[in-house]
Amino acid sequence: MSRDLIVVAPEESAMVAWHRLSQHQIKALPVVDDAQRLVGILTLHDLMIDRQRQLPREAASLEQKRVADLMTREVRTARRYQPLYDLVESFSDGGLHHMPVVEGEQLVGILTQSDMVAALFNLALRPVADKAE
């Protein structure tokens, strides 16, 4: 889980979000309010695809849209200290690539598919390392 969070506010422009994703080479931004409560998530896909027409979004339209216009409001989240095995299905069969981690309503991190693969790999190696000792 990454605790060094890059976030966006709902009132920011979609172009600001695009630049933030590009600058940090990430694919999703948790959307938070002034109290750092999670209110949505904005993905690269949300910025590129016009959901109404299912066509690529024109770059000029990002200047005119706010994050709140494009973000997903119903966000599946993980709880801090939630067992990893509870989350595997959401990433494998559920199609998720990113999952914000919350404690109460506060955003405390974000979990990615890469985090899941690394954690599962480490768990798989632990018994081998234990036997070697």
Side-chain angles (χ1 to χ4, degrees):
M1 171 179 86
S2 176
R3 290 179 184 87
D4 186 22
L5 296 169
I6 311 300
V7 299
V8 67
E11 63 275 359
E12 290 188 86
S13 81
M15 189 58 83
V16 166
W18 172 263
H19 287 296
R20 206 163 287 161
L21 287 166
S22 177
Q23 177 184 1
H24 295 282
Q25 297 180 356
I26 55 178
K27 295 179 179 82
L29 291 167
V31 183
V32 296
D33 65 13
D34 292 337
Q36 295 300 302
R37 289 182 301 239
L38 183 70
V39 296
I41 192 164
L42 184 74
T43 67
L44 192 55
H45 186 265
D46 295 328
L47 291 171
M48 296 179 69
I49 301 296
D50 185 330
R51 290 182 186 165
Q52 315 250 304
R53 296 181 295 164
Q54 291 297 304
L55 296 171
R57 189 180 303 281
E58 294 179 22
S61 73
L62 293 181
E63 297 281 353
Q64 302 158 359
K65 300 268 186 194
R66 294 178 319 124
V67 168
D69 299 329
L70 303 174
M71 71 183 192
T72 300
R73 294 172 190 279
E74 298 293 321
V75 183
R76 282 191 267 177
T77 61
R79 296 178 316 280
R80 189 177 216 168
Y81 307 117
Q82 185 171 359
L84 188 62
Y85 58 82
D86 286 353
L87 308 174
V88 170
E89 189 174 336
S90 291
F91 281 93
S92 61
D93 297 335
L96 286 186
H97 300 278
H98 325 86
M99 185 180 288
V101 180
V102 294
E103 187 167 29
E105 294 180 358
Q106 295 293 128
L107 178 68
V108 295
I110 190 161
L111 189 62
T112 66
Q113 278 184 330
S114 297
D115 296 328
M116 291 291 289
V117 169
L120 292 170
F121 181 75
N122 287 333
L123 285 173
L125 287 182
R126 187 176 301 153
V128 173
D130 291 345
K131 288 180 185 176
E133 293 175 358

